Amino acid sequence: MAARILIAEDEPDIRDYLAAVLKAAGHQVTEVGDGAEVLTRLAEPKPDLVLMDLHMPVLSGLEALKYLRMAASWADVPVLFLTASGATEDMVTARSLGARGYLVKPVRAADLSAKVAMVIEDKSLVWLDDITQSRSSQGG
């Protein structure tokens, strides 16, 4: 299922990789460099998914998510975090703010595509599996 995906990632190389993987899967991708730029998109048609780095300059992913949840038209947009941080506190905060998932970098293209498809198709994600699979993909 092709979807409109907004990627918020401050590292250009990672952002390019994510966009390439998602475009290859048939998705329409918009890219921004930080959480504040996500908020500049609120006047546009909402995406089917926001894939957002947790730690970014100007406005973090968690801060941006707080604002997204306050915007009535974007309140139900699924957010999937992709981050180098595996901190439990970050996971708990992301979940409490309504994020649908949390992937730990680096993530393989196949894992990213699968997780995105899960969130888009059924709007749910198993958090523990998400983190376990991301970490296990680092080794192989």
Side-chain angles (χ1 to χ4, degrees):
M1 174 181 181
R4 288 184 320 275
I5 300 174
L6 176 60
I7 298 172
E9 168 62 57
D10 61 316
E11 294 292 332
D13 291 343
I14 296 171
R15 191 171 56 238
D16 291 346
Y17 167 75
L18 298 171
V21 169
L22 295 173
K23 286 177 183 177
H27 301 295
Q28 177 186 339
V29 175
T30 302
E31 304 168 48
V32 297
D34 63 56
E37 287 185 68
V38 170
L39 302 182
T40 67
R41 305 293 173 156
L42 292 178
E44 299 175 8
K46 68 181 180 180
D48 298 304
L49 173 74
V50 176
L51 179 62
M52 189 159 34
D53 189 10
L54 188 69
H55 300 288
M56 295 182 285
V58 185
L59 194 65
S60 76
L62 291 174
E63 292 167 324
L65 179 56
K66 288 177 191 176
Y67 287 109
L68 289 181
R69 293 301 177 240
M70 288 189 277
S73 62
W74 282 50
D76 63 340
V77 173
V79 173
L80 180 61
F81 279 111
L82 179 68
T83 183
S85 172
T88 302
E89 181 179 326
D90 289 337
M91 288 185 280
V92 170
T93 302
R95 178 74 181 202
S96 71
L97 292 173
R100 299 285 170 85
Y102 191 103
L103 294 166
V104 179
K105 297 177 197 173
V107 62
R108 295 181 310 158
D111 292 338
L112 175 62
S113 293
K115 300 303 184 216
V116 165
M118 272 199 253
V119 172
I120 290 169
E121 290 172 14
D122 69 8
K123 309 293 188 224
S124 66
L125 200 61
V126 177
W127 279 72
L128 186 57
D129 281 351
D130 208 30
I131 292 175
T132 303
Q133 288 178 16
S134 292
R135 287 189 176 152
S136 66
S137 71
Q138 292 176 14

